[in-house]
Amino acid sequence: MILGGLHDKARQSLDPAHYDYVAGGAGEERVLADNESAFDRYALLPRVLRGGAERDTAVDLPGAPRSSPVLVAPTAFHRLLHPDGERATARAAAAEGAVLVTGTASTTAVAEVTAAAGAGPVWFQLYPHPRREVVRALAGRAEAAGCTALVVTVDSPVFGRHTRDLRHGFTDLPPGYAAENMRGLPGAPPGALTDIPMSPAVSWQDLDDLVRHTALPVLLKGVLHPADARLAVAHGAAGVVVSNHGGRQSDAVPAALDCLPSVVAAVAGRVPVLLDGGVRRGSDIAVALALGATAVGVGRPVVWGLAAEGEAGVRRVLAGLRDEYDHTLALCGGRRNTDLTKDMVVRRGGTW
């Protein structure tokens, strides 16, 4: 796959502090490593002679029918990595039929991101701000801009401790850069990495308030425990994203992939379950979908593509992963995503 070359090119071109901001994780970065290595513990057990020459890998997601099974997961501050920033990412995602999840911590305002995406689907990621009026305002901006869903990141009651950022003393964006979606809202002036307040006091009632005050479907990102998955559905979530924030929050949690089967079982098909964290190959996508995910999100690979080659690099990542997945699906005897089933996933080196 092309990810290694793009990663190397990005690393060579970026300010070391900016590279480490993206590449790094929390604490000793055990979870960061485990997200990727988790996929090495699984293998696919193909089926044969299923008689299908054509494959259909499109998925139906809230506000985004017939999308690629590979989404662009929310990542911050794209203009640190390329002058076109989130606009380039949006154009590339739209061209590849992928949902772009743009973030509150974007260096381009959401209305400009959706304009760049054109007809491509854009979801808006937000944090559950301790002031409900701020959350409502952000949701309103996303809705007015044409976003088709909200993604609420719920794994951040406080900021994770990023060892690499502390080493670099990287606490503020360079002059001229800001979390643009926070402009005009209560809080710190845009420019600090901690502009977006976190609060451990945020509760399920805050989710209820958001669901009541938006017309958009709301997905919860950062769910690892099956009990929370059941609660998410009970409180009106339109989807659940199994994620540990790419290893950037707690360094004591399991790999996202290892949490996927129990969350899928808890949701029991009532809403889509997505996965992000550690996806680097088409075969990773196949394992995740066989274990019950509807689609996967990729974060760092997209950022490396953007830093290395701008819009073209993002397209290379999204197209490459999608094509690798299609090839893996064919090798597994599948014609559609649902042909990948849990019984086709085995422990590497033997069956369960």
Side-chain angles (χ1 to χ4, degrees), residues 261-277:
S262 63
V263 171
V264 168
V267 168
R270 290 172 289 175
V271 299
V273 176
L274 287 68
L275 171 87
D276 77 30

Side-chain angles (χ1 to χ4, degrees), residues 36 119 139 144 157 162 292:
E36 291 189 40
H162 300 167

Side-chain angles (χ1 to χ4, degrees), residues 104-105 125-131 134-135 138 153 156-159 179 182 185-190 192-202:
T104 298
Q125 174 269 341
L126 57 85
Y127 292 94
H129 194 285
R131 298 177 64 166
V134 173
V135 176
L138 285 167
T153 298
S156 303
V158 295
F159 280 100
M182 295 301 292
L185 299 176
L193 298 184
T194 55
D195 277 348
I196 302 163
M198 309 295 181
S199 172
V202 171

Side-chain angles (χ1 to χ4, degrees), residues 228-248:
D228 287 333
R230 287 188 288 270
L231 281 168
V233 176
H235 284 267
V240 170
V241 185
V242 178
S243 170
N244 56 32
H245 214 107
R248 296 173 67 84

Side-chain angles (χ1 to χ4, degrees), residues 59-71:
V59 298
D60 290 324
L61 297 168
R66 302 293 299 168
S67 293
S68 169
V70 185
L71 289 76

